[in-house]
Amino acid sequence: MNAGEAPIGEQLPENAFRELSEGEEYQPLMSPRANYPEVNAWSVTWGVLMAMLFSAAAAYLGLKVGQVFEAAIPIAIIAVGVSTAARRSRALGENVIIQSIGACSGAVVAGAIFTLPAIYILQAKYPDMSASFLQVFMASALGGILGILFLIPFRRYFVKEMHGRYPFPEATATTQVLVSGAKGGDQSKPLLLAGLVGGLYDFIVATFGWWNETVTSRMIGWGELLADKTKLVFKCNTSAAVLGLGYIIGLRYAMFICLGSVAVWWLIVPLMSLLFGDQVLSVGGVEATTAVGDMSAEEIFKTYARSIGIGGIAMAGVIGIIRSWGIIRNAVGLAAKEMRGGKDEAAAKAMRTDRDLSFRFIGIASLSALLITFVFFWLGVMHNVMFAVVAILLVTVIAFLFTTVAANAIAIVGSNPVSGMTLMTLILASVVMAAVGLNGSGGMLAALIMGGVVCTALSMAGCFITDLKIGYWLGSTPRRQQQWKFLGTLVSAATVGGVMMLLNQTYGFDPEQEGHLVAPQANAMAAVIEPMMNGAGAPWLLYGIGAVLAVVLTLCKIPALAFALGMFIPLELNIPLLVGGAINWYVTTRSKEKAVNEARGERGTLIASGFIAGGALMGVVSALLRFGGFNPVSESWLANPLSEACALVAYVLLIVYFIKATKK
């Protein structure tokens, strides 16, 4: 059957989002036994344009307001739009490639702006520190390439063997967008309508501020008193996109995530205030100047409690690595076998939709990338062979092992805790590099470049597992996605490097400079790394508490990573996940007829995907308007408790719409 004869399915099969029974197989929309247009001049050109455009936009906005938007969904919407406008038939495979290449932008931007602007921030105190375009480009590009190469051996495990066990919220929403664009009809209507509702809802909040984005217990008098006296506070983000995310995640994972958040905000934070209220508590690298009791709940969380979450994520990752050691060993073994000249017979016989880049290529490319990274560290950053050897060993171990953690996090909650893992990397890099004699400004530069490589690798791993899951659901060729992901990474890295240099020259990142860009994550990294490279410690006690907690949770058969993610991610973003998960449970259990519940659940997935897609797209538009100077939001109104009351009413109406829309 040739590409012109092969049909494309009308909609995703009913087993797309559930675990498969023994002997059952998933059949994607594009048949594994046929070929379809995927990589051609159209898809590659549009993919590269999307990578450049969204890399520049994400870098500007991320450094200006501290938020890196997820590019996958807006790019998928644009891909569907341009293919429809051009009347391209059978464009589903092409649109997957456009999205896959373009989505490199968000991953590379997140990896770069979380760490590398800290170099410019520290230049004010240490004039001998500098970052050239080549250093920024190499750190981003090499990190992205390593993230791709380290993830490929785990593709089958995450997207096929674990099918139906992980919710993959962002991949689900993007897939629904691509499917609706390919076929239209009944499936596109609820998606488009929900996209309009969710997009308009979030646009009104972000652009005009008609109501508050977050509802808190402080909106009423006794809630304010409770927060001040006991540090007990309730928060819920009322965004349509986050609500949709919770629906797709489902009640089970949402409960574990929310439990982690509740444990921090409603147990640890109040207990710390109660036990250490009049003390100025310094723990390791945390040098506080305010008594715990005089801090707000949010300040206690940022200063102390969040570090417990970082320790939990790190230990949950180690536990996950131990549990998946067999998969890691098999992947490495297959690569070694191919490099010795052997063949993986199963891979050779695999259908189109199960063909990856050969393990031989992955092995050789990984070694080559690591060698280039070593030379870059040696000649371009540290100018010392021993320092470069230590650095490459540290980067290799952290990036490889935590690749699976990043993929797991994206598969569960759709959010990559890359900032927490990068913070851990910077701390480890600072401790190790200082121990071998590299400290001061040279040590800071080295640690930040190392952090940039690792951060981009982990960010790319999380992004890429989303792309591969989309391809699995739709029937793309993994090998094609993997091959062209490298091009997207190089384009995005070059764009980010250029934009960052331009922004530094135009606005600057120095907090003392008037009109500087905020770059909050990079400022946080600079604040952590400077004292460590000058002899201060790290909050190992807090990390240790989180690590012990992760072990205990695992022994109790509670998903430690989901729980630890809840401890790290702010409360206001976790409560709505539980609300969305509860809606999922409600709409899929109200009828006595199984078929009705399943139909409502599938329609709910379309509505949730529309909320996520509309919210993401309008979020970009709103941020661009604000960046351009259009900001009619009244801060005094948002400070008024009535704005939160309005938000609560609007949120309830949104939930009612969601539930009623699933019954149509």
Side-chain angles (χ1 to χ4, degrees), residues 117-143:
I119 298 172
Y120 301 112
I121 293 168
L122 291 169
Q123 273 183 348
K125 295 182 181 178
Y126 307 93
D128 56 331
M129 286 185 67
S130 63
S132 65
F133 170 81
L134 182 62
Q135 287 175 318
V136 174
F137 168 74
M138 290 293 286
S140 302
L142 290 170

Side-chain angles (χ1 to χ4, degrees), residues 115-430:
T115 52
L116 300 178
I119 298 172
Y120 301 112
I121 293 168
L122 291 169
Q123 273 183 348
K125 295 182 181 178
Y126 307 93
D128 56 331
M129 286 185 67
S130 63
S132 65
F133 170 81
L134 182 62
Q135 287 175 318
V136 174
F137 168 74
M138 290 293 286
S140 302
L142 290 170
I145 289 170
L146 289 173
I148 296 169
L149 292 169
F150 287 170
L151 182 72
I152 293 173
F154 303 106
R155 182 194 68 83
R156 288 189 181 96
Y157 171 76
F158 280 109
V159 308
K160 188 173 182 179
E161 293 179 25
M162 298 299 289
H163 178 76
R165 300 185 189 181
Y166 288 143
F168 277 99
E170 187 186 352
T172 299
T174 309
T175 301
Q176 296 287 16
V177 168
L178 293 171
V179 171
S180 70
K183 283 299 176 184
D186 292 338
Q187 185 161 6
S188 66
K189 290 177 182 177
L191 182 73
L192 291 173
L193 182 58
L196 288 172
V197 171
L200 182 62
Y201 180 98
D202 284 356
F203 183 72
I204 288 171
V205 178
T207 307
F208 300 102
W210 286 4
W211 57 83
N212 212 306
E213 187 178 24
T214 303
V215 173
T216 75
S217 54
R218 289 191 174 96
M219 65 184 284
I220 48 182
W222 64 263
E224 182 75 38
L225 184 65
L226 197 66
D228 290 340
K229 298 295 183 182
T230 68
K231 312 305 177 185
L232 195 62
V233 63
F234 172 88
K235 291 184 173 186
C236 180
N237 181 284
T238 61
S239 160
V242 182
L243 181 69
L245 203 66
Y247 181 94
I248 293 174
I249 289 171
L251 186 58
R252 180 175 180 270
Y253 274 118
M255 282 183 65
F256 289 125
I257 294 165
C258 206
L259 279 173
S261 204
V262 166
V264 167
W265 285 89
W266 296 352
L267 184 63
I268 294 175
V269 168
L271 271 177
M272 287 191 70
S273 176
L274 181 65
L275 297 175
F276 309 105
D278 58 349
Q279 297 181 37
V280 177
L281 193 63
S282 295
V283 183
V286 178
E287 296 296 333
T289 56
T290 306
V292 176
D294 293 334
M295 292 181 174
S296 66
E298 291 82 0
E299 289 172 334
I300 296 174
F301 171 73
K302 291 179 181 178
T303 308
Y304 305 106
R306 187 166 58 175
S307 294
I308 298 175
I310 293 173
I313 291 171
M315 180 52 73
V318 171
I319 293 169
I321 291 162
I322 294 170
R323 286 183 163 180
S324 60
W325 189 249
I327 301 164
I328 297 173
R329 187 180 63 247
N330 290 339
V332 174
L334 286 170
K337 182 179 178 181
E338 279 201 26
M339 291 183 72
R340 289 196 302 267
K343 290 186 177 180
D344 180 0
E345 294 182 8
K349 296 177 182 178
M351 288 186 291
R352 178 185 61 80
T353 53
D354 205 27
R355 292 176 191 154
D356 295 297
L357 289 172
S358 71
F359 281 108
R360 182 182 181 85
F361 172 84
I362 294 169
I364 293 174
S366 297
L367 291 174
S368 300
L370 289 171
L371 179 61
I372 294 171
T373 306
F374 165 72
V375 173
F376 167 57
F377 284 165
W378 174 23
L379 301 179
V381 181
M382 302 167 194
H383 308 290
N384 181 292
V385 176
M386 185 186 74
F387 294 160
V389 169
V390 173
I392 194 62
L393 289 174
L394 194 61
V395 164
T396 303
V397 171
I398 295 174
F400 180 73
L401 293 181
F402 278 92
T403 289
T404 56
V405 180
N408 254 306
I410 286 290
I412 293 172
V413 73
S415 177
N416 194 343
V418 68
S419 58
M421 291 189 287
T422 302
L423 187 60
M424 182 66 74
T425 299
L426 284 175
I427 291 170
L428 290 173
S430 299

Side-chain angles (χ1 to χ4, degrees), residues 36-109:
Y36 301 83
E38 291 184 83
V39 176
N40 50 37
W42 171 270
S43 60
V44 172
T45 300
W46 275 105
V48 169
L49 285 174
M50 292 297 99
M52 293 174 64
L53 174 64
F54 279 86
S55 292
Y60 267 107
L61 296 172
L63 291 166
K64 180 73 173 178
V65 301
Q67 296 294 323
V68 179
F69 56 82
E70 295 296 341
I73 294 172
I75 290 171
I77 293 171
I78 293 172
V80 167
V82 295
S83 64
T84 302
R87 300 182 182 277
R88 296 187 71 84
S89 61
R90 308 165 52 73
L92 184 58
E94 295 175 338
N95 289 342
V96 172
I97 295 298
I98 292 173
Q99 182 274 326
S100 189
I101 295 174
C104 291
S105 55
V108 172
V109 167

Side-chain angles (χ1 to χ4, degrees), residues 617-634:
L617 193 60
M618 288 298 99
V620 175
V621 174
S622 178
L624 285 171
L625 288 173
R626 182 169 294 192
F627 187 80
F630 181 78
N631 183 20
V633 176
S634 170

Side-chain angles (χ1 to χ4, degrees), residues 547-637:
V548 171
L549 182 59
V551 173
V552 172
L553 289 168
T554 303
L555 294 175
C556 295
K557 301 189 182 303
I558 295 174
L561 182 59
F563 193 95
L565 283 170
M567 297 179 73
F568 178 75
I569 299 171
L571 176 68
E572 61 267 27
L573 296 179
N574 290 327
I575 295 294
L577 298 184
L578 186 61
V579 175
I583 294 173
N584 186 317
W585 170 82
Y586 180 81
V587 302
T588 56
T589 57
R590 290 307 88 195
S591 175
K592 295 179 180 179
E593 298 180 31
K594 182 180 178 182
V596 173
N597 286 331
E598 289 178 350
R600 288 176 177 174
E602 289 175 6
R603 191 176 182 86
T605 300
L606 286 173
I607 295 166
S609 300
F611 276 12
I612 296 170
L617 193 60
M618 288 298 99
V620 175
V621 174
S622 178
L624 285 171
L625 288 173
R626 182 169 294 192
F627 187 80
F630 181 78
N631 183 20
V633 176
S634 170
E635 296 299 330
S636 60
W637 163 244

